[in-house]
Amino acid sequence: MRIASADVVVTSPARNFVTLVITTDDGLTGLGDATLNGRELSVASYLRDHVAPLLEGRDASRIEDTWQYLYRGAYWRRGPVTMAAVAAVDTALWDIKAKAAGMPLYQLLGGASRTGALAYGHASGRDVPELLDSVRAHLERGYRAIRVQTGIPGLDSVYGVASSAAGGGERYDYEPARRRPLPAEETWDTRAYLRHVPTVFEAVRAEFGPGLPLLHDGHHRMTPIQAARLGKDLEPYDLFWLEDATPAEDQTALRLIRQHTTTPLAIGEVFNSAHDYTVLLQERLIDYVRSAVTHAGGVTGLRRLLDMAGHFGIRSGIHGPTDISPVGMAAALHLDLAVHNFGIQEYMRHAPETLEVFRTSFTFTDGLLHPSDTPGLGVGLDLAAAERFPYAPAYLPVNRLADGTVHDW
Ligand code: CS2
Ligand code: MG
């Protein structure tokens, strides 16, 4: 089974996506997600100009060898662009291998370790009443775990909060709201945030009780001691996790946070290699690994990382916003079903137009996601639909402090 072609499809239903389509000489096709939000075309070029020519004629069954060939052969290692390209090739080859075997991918990963993957959704509100409505709306949609993000008094717009008045039903999705040639700029105030967030969780717990798993995303914005304070202040509300409490390329910063709080910590959606986690795992400084198939070198890369994390009692929390395409989402679900150290799966739900382009078969029932038993990943790409949605430049916002200093968004 030889690789006959490797084509890159850039399409933008609701937001920009980059998808690799690998076709074998016996007519099998595999899909890989190569979407890097805000830098999509860099990965499209990496694949089209530097990877696809190397793939033609290669044995499609040699997944590990191809992974090592692309990782070591590039000489320049790691990084979000390279690892998204490697991920797309790897995922597409796993899709092909599972299709050739007539099995859903999870069966090739050791079979099911659970009946389904617990999902969490994104509740948000500009104020507490709107947030509580959003939590209710997500519970009604069947979610059994919910991420809580709110507006901060005095700040116009904040990461993770739907800007519309219909908070509960409306999804925030930065790209469509901010599709413009330059990133939108937002203003941030950490002290206002630290004062406000505990009051929000007080209100959510008062309304929904102590049992509902609640998550929160700090989105890289705090210093280690600020994160330590927030983790401590949130302990009475028993969070499932506090995510990206501090920019974690400084892995040792998590030592300080760990010293002050027992609130579980999740890190890694911006990481793209197991090497980004070495200190975090060996010293058990985190509780959940956040990397996605799309950003961590594919099924092969993420499985390796999750097995390493499991050795230290650390579980998966695979990243699943709408800028992980349905292809990347499906790949995550196969790993979620198979690995032993599963924790939780983020599931932000894609827009209807996205699902016109990507034909999915995974299911969300009673709060659990299942990849389906369709051979392969279980996702199809409708090329005619994809052509209806041309790429348009779109960027994530840039954060600044009140004095104009650029801050983590
Ligand atoms: C967020 C993401 O889902 C999350 O946890 O951190 O929505 C993140 O903002 C986007 O993936 C950035 O493209
Ligand atoms: Mg996050």
Side-chain angles (χ1 to χ4, degrees):
M1 184 166 60
R2 295 282 166 188
I3 295 172
S5 64
D7 299 300
V8 177
V9 176
V10 181
T11 180
S12 190
R15 63 181 315 124
N16 293 314
F17 292 109
V18 179
T19 306
L20 179 69
V21 183
I22 292 182
T23 306
T24 66
D25 54 4
D26 48 3
L28 285 175
T29 60
L31 299 179
D33 181 18
T35 305
L36 186 63
N37 196 6
R39 297 296 185 270
E40 295 86 357
L41 297 187
S42 53
V43 187
S45 166
Y46 193 107
L47 286 166
R48 278 195 187 112
D49 300 325
H50 301 299
V51 170
L54 309 184
L55 294 178
E56 287 174 31
R58 281 186 65 87
D59 180 344
S61 68
R62 298 181 66 188
I63 298 177
E64 181 66 33
D65 181 67
T66 299
W67 196 98
Q68 299 294 345
Y69 178 77
L70 295 177
Y71 180 78
R72 298 174 192 278
Y75 187 77
W76 311 106
R77 293 187 184 191
R78 299 162 63 185
V81 174
T82 299
M83 297 312 285
V86 171
V89 174
D90 182 80
T91 305
L93 293 181
W94 275 111
D95 191 13
I96 287 167
K97 189 179 278 284
K99 284 175 177 174
M103 296 180 186
L105 175 56
Y106 73 85
Q107 291 294 7
L108 300 190
L109 302 175
S113 298
R114 55 194 55 79
T115 54
L118 176 66
Y120 75 87
H122 287 197
S124 69
R126 291 172 302 174
D127 54 29
V128 169
E130 200 172 271
L131 168 64
L132 298 182
D133 287 344
S134 182
V135 173
R136 273 186 214 96
H138 282 78
L139 290 171
E140 283 158 17
R141 268 190 223 115
Y143 283 99
R144 290 192 208 156
I146 293 178
R147 190 186 81 167
V148 168
Q149 305 292 132
T150 73
I152 307 296
L155 299 182
D156 290 342
S157 63
V158 174
Y159 159 72
V161 180
S163 54
S164 78
E170 182 67 26
R171 290 174 315 106
Y172 75 89
D173 213 343
Y174 289 98
E175 191 183 343
R178 309 294 177 84
R179 192 182 285 267
R180 57 174 67 159
L182 287 175
E185 301 218 342
E186 298 185 355
T187 302
W188 178 249
D189 177 343
T190 305
R191 286 177 52 80
Y193 166 77
L194 291 174
R195 285 194 303 272
H196 185 61
V197 168
T199 68
V200 169
F201 279 92
E202 170 85 39
V204 174
R205 281 293 182 220
E207 183 73 15
F208 297 101
L212 176 63
L214 297 177
L215 303 88
H216 181 65
D217 192 345
H219 224 256
H220 325 279
R221 302 179 175 197
M222 292 175 273
T223 63
I225 199 65
Q226 289 171 338
R229 172 184 156 190
L230 182 62
K232 199 170 180 178
D233 288 353
L234 292 178
E235 283 178 13
Y237 312 113
D238 187 23
L239 265 62
F240 184 93
W241 81 32
L242 172 61
E243 174 186 348
D244 283 335
T246 193
E249 58 261 54
D250 171 10
Q251 296 184 50
T252 59
L254 275 293
R255 290 175 185 151
L256 177 60
I257 303 172
R258 233 13 174 196
Q259 282 163 13
H260 290 274
T261 180
T262 57
T263 293
L265 300 173
I267 292 275
E269 70 181 49
V270 298
F271 289 173
N272 47 74
S273 158
H275 297 290
D276 296 326
Y277 285 93
T278 311
V279 172
L280 297 175
L281 300 184
Q282 284 171 346
E283 298 184 20
R284 298 171 177 79
L285 299 178
I286 59 173
D287 304 278
Y288 297 93
V289 162
R290 284 285 282 144
S291 289
V293 166
T294 310
H295 298 303
V299 173
T300 299
L302 188 53
R303 178 58 191 263
R304 204 171 274 147
L305 170 59
L306 294 180
D307 286 348
M308 193 169 120
H311 182 72
F312 296 98
I314 295 166
R315 288 180 284 169
S316 71
I318 298 178
H319 194 211
T322 47
D323 50 289
I324 297 291
S325 87
V327 175
M329 187 73 195
L333 298 185
H334 287 280
L335 277 169
D336 287 337
L337 209 62
V339 299
H340 177 259
N341 58 321
F342 169 76
I344 200 165
Q345 172 63 50
E346 179 176 10
Y347 177 46
M348 199 178 143
R349 294 179 309 115
H350 288 99
E353 55 271 42
T354 298
L355 299 177
E356 285 177 39
V357 175
F358 297 93
R359 305 292 184 181
T360 58
S361 58
F362 59 80
T363 55
F364 177 51
T365 312
D366 296 334
L368 302 181
L369 287 158
H370 191 285
S372 92
D373 285 309
T374 307
L377 289 175
V379 183
L381 178 63
D382 182 331
L383 291 175
E387 282 179 13
R388 297 205 326 261
F389 303 103
Y391 168 81
Y395 298 103
L396 288 165
V398 169
N399 230 354
R400 290 185 184 274
L401 302 177
D403 67 1
T405 306
V406 171
H407 194 70
D408 293 290
W409 175 70

